[in-house]
Amino acid sequence: MNKNFRILVLSLLAGFAANAKLDAESYQWTGPASGNWNDANNWTPSQVPGTGDTASISGNVAVDIASTVSINGLSVANGSSLTVSTGGVLNILDGAVVFGPLVNAGTVNWLGGEIMIFYSPSNGWSGT
């Protein structure tokens, strides 16, 4: 990954943090290789991310949303995937950075901010 691209990604993530509410949290997926978004044990800190929060999914994992989730910021790393199941709803309030697949079998609402999807087979990015 080149230096300018790293700076761009870090700037975007800093922008998410700057726009976050004072009581907002940043959550990192630490659950198993596949799991349910709504299981607090899958996140650090141990709570389900919600409105105003940012969530990062990384590692070789597949995360599933089967309910309604509203999230301020979202990042899906290369090698990871996020699936919104039938009947599930993902509300993206202030942007997302997606390097891995975001599979929509339910509803994804883009309500604010920028959504950046990176797809480059030569770099190994599979964001779609």
Side-chain angles (χ1 to χ4, degrees):
M1 189 177 332
N2 72 36
K3 181 180 177 183
N4 290 337
F5 182 75
R6 285 187 206 148
I7 291 170
L8 170 66
V9 170
L10 291 173
S11 297
L12 289 169
L13 294 175
F16 286 143
N19 288 328
K21 295 179 185 177
L22 291 176
D23 60 345
E25 290 278 344
S26 293
Y27 293 86
Q28 178 68 43
W29 180 268
T30 54
S34 61
N36 182 339
W37 177 285
N38 287 316
D39 183 344
N41 294 319
N42 289 332
W43 296 98
T44 298
S46 185
Q47 183 175 328
V48 177
T51 304
D53 297 327
T54 59
S56 297
I57 300 168
S58 62
N60 192 17
V61 299
V63 178
D64 183 64
I65 294 175
S67 61
T68 298
V69 170
S70 295
I71 192 80
N72 200 50
L74 173 68
S75 65
V76 179
N78 190 44
S80 300
S81 68
L82 177 63
T83 298
V84 180
S85 297
T86 302
V89 178
L90 172 60
N91 295 311
I92 301 171
L93 305 175
D94 196 25
V97 178
V98 179
F99 283 91
L102 192 158
V103 179
N104 182 16
T107 302
V108 175
N109 295 309
W110 174 14
L111 301 170
E114 295 181 319
I115 294 181
M116 300 183 71
I117 298 174
F118 293 90
Y119 177 78
S120 174
S122 62
N123 287 319
W125 305 329
S126 58
T128 53

